[in-house]
Each structure stands twice: as structure tokens, then as C-alpha cells.
Amino acid sequence: AVMVGLIIAWSVVQSIMVHNIADAAIGDSVTKVVTLVTENAALDISIRNTAELNFARNLAKLPMIKSDELTTEEKCQQLVAIAKESKGKYVNITFYGKDGYSFIPEKPGVPIYFGDREYIKAPLAGQEYVRDPFLNTITNQLIMCYSVPVYDNGQIVGAVCCVRDGNFISEIIESIDVGGGMHPGIINMKTGNTVGNVNKDTSKGNSVAELDPNSELAKVLGNAMAGKSDVEFFTEPATGQKMIASYKPVGGDSDWFVFCAAPYDYYFGSLTKLSHAITIILIVSIFVGAIIGILSISSLIRPLFYVKNSIAEISTGHADLSSRITQSSNDEVGEVVDGFNTFVGKLQAIMTQLKA
């Protein structure tokens, strides 16, 4: 019985050890995988942003854009021609004077003031600016802006703004599979608004602010908006599904971060199955061990019941003193049985002498 108990206990300990080792190994591997996916996504976005800013910087360095030989409208016309040569990549490229005025092809000769807009104010103050994708209400097209200052002899003389299709961010992340058909999301750390997602629609107010502030997802996104990089778990508010998430700032000149989320079971499903299998094995082991223990104890104490019954029969005066209990073991129980048989044998001899 003691041996059976030890075997069961050792089985339980082994099962727990196997589960813990598997949990740690799978957890470490999953963390590395989702972190790598997030880092690669952030790097891809950063590279694209840098390429777009480099294009704008190169335009800002063109002599015809830097010098005062051309008027603001003439510079705009030159940049519009470059935009047309991009075959639809750039919706528009515009020059803005240091006074914030510019011209559009639809209204030739009419200066329009843009100096109160953030994507123009920033470069005119010497800062490069990447604007989140937004819906152009005139063309109903999702666009985004990359703006840089224009310098001449160390002085800011204007700004160049490249306006391009805003869906290219979503096209990048659509090619990245986090797991279970899930794709990364790009979110602005300052505003909490979605910059890019697989739905290619950031105009409907997808924002962290819309979430329940007490939800696990809101807390995870709060850490991401603080500029942290980590891997966490949360429960998806809409479905109640457990998820694993990884997040990392894009870096560079943007205020964006990459948020990658995937179903917990996609990565840890094998661990869950292992846990179920271990539980079943434990239950079966305990059940079988209990049966074996009961049978073992029963076989050990059965001779003692025979001894008890024989003593009770002797006490009645009608016992068959010629019968003996079969000795089935050499342990303490066997010694008791052997002693009882010896006692009955001597008692039988005494009774035989008395009858003679």
C-alpha cells in the first residue's frame, strides 16, 4: 500500500514537472516569435516612413525649390509635375512659402493660407512631420502627408509636403500574419487613433479612447502608448477570447507603435492539450492505483479475517480443530497465521488426549 502511494505521488510530481517545463519552453518560444514579428513590422514601417521622408528631403534640396528665383506658385507647379510622374503613388506634392501660403491647380493664381495646419506649422518651425492617414472629404480618398522644412543658407524659406495614398501602411501590415489570421495594427501613441489596419479604414474613429478603461485590453494599450515594448496577455472584450499581444514603438519621426495580437490557443493550444492529457493520465493513475491498493490490502488482511472467524468458532465449542488456515505470505500476517495454526494444532492434541 505504501509502495502504491509512493508510485501515485511520484506520478503526480512527474506530471507537474513535465507541465511546468513544457509551459516554460513554449512560453519562451512564443514570446520570441511574437516579439520578432512585432519588431519586423515596426522596422518595415520605419523603413517606409524614412524612405518617404528622404524623398521629401531630396525635393526640398532641389535648387529650384530652395532659391527665390521662382515664385511659390511656380514651385508648386514643378512639384505637381513630379507627382504626376509617380503614376498615382503621390496624390499631390506641394510647396508652402514661409508665410504659410500655397497654390492648388484647381485655383491658379489664388494664394491659399495653410499655415494654421499642423502638418505645415511643424516644418515651418523646423520639424519634420508625418501625418496619420485621414480621409480627404473632397476626393473621399484615404491619404497621408510627409512634410519637411526647406532651407536656403541655413534659413527656413518654406516647406515641402508629399501627399500620398494612405492605404500603403495597411497593405504592409496585411502581408504580416501574427497568427490565427490576425494582422498587426498601427496606432498613434499620442492620440490613440488607429493609423493602419487590415480593414484599410481609419476614418471611423477607431480609437483606444473608445475602450472600457478598466478592460485588460485598454491597460495593455496604455502601456504601449507609454512607449513601452513588451508581451502581455489580455481578454478580448467583444468575444471573451484570451489573446497574446506584443507591442513596440515604430520609432523614427513617427508617434506610432505596432500592436500585434493573436489568439492564445493558436500558440498555446498544444500546451492546453498536454495539460488535458496529463490530467486524464493522473485521474486514471490514481484510479488504477486505488484499485491496486484496495486489492493489495484485501489480500494482505484476508488471512486475519480467517483467524478472527476461526477464534469465534473455537469459542462456540464446535470448531473443527483439524482445519488449518493457508499461509499465503511470509510477512507479519503470515507469522500470525502460522502462530494460530500452531495454537490450533496444540489445542487439537489437548482435546484428543482428554477424549482418550
Side-chain angles (χ1 to χ4, degrees), residues 51-52 55-56 82-84 86-93 146 162-165:
E52 296 297 334
F55 178 70
I82 294 175
K84 289 181 179 179
S86 70
K87 299 179 180 180
K89 177 180 178 181
Y90 291 98
V91 178
N92 190 25
I93 304 176
Y146 292 88
C162 298
V163 182
R164 65 153 300 159
D165 172 22

Side-chain angles (χ1 to χ4, degrees), residues 19 34 64 66 96 98 114 122 129 132 135 154 175 183 224 253 262-263 289 303 305 316:
H19 179 274
V34 296
M64 66 177 180
K66 294 170 56 178
Y96 299 84
K98 62 181 179 180
F114 294 91
Y129 189 86
D132 294 355
L135 189 65
S175 66
H183 302 275
D253 295 289
F305 282 109
T316 64

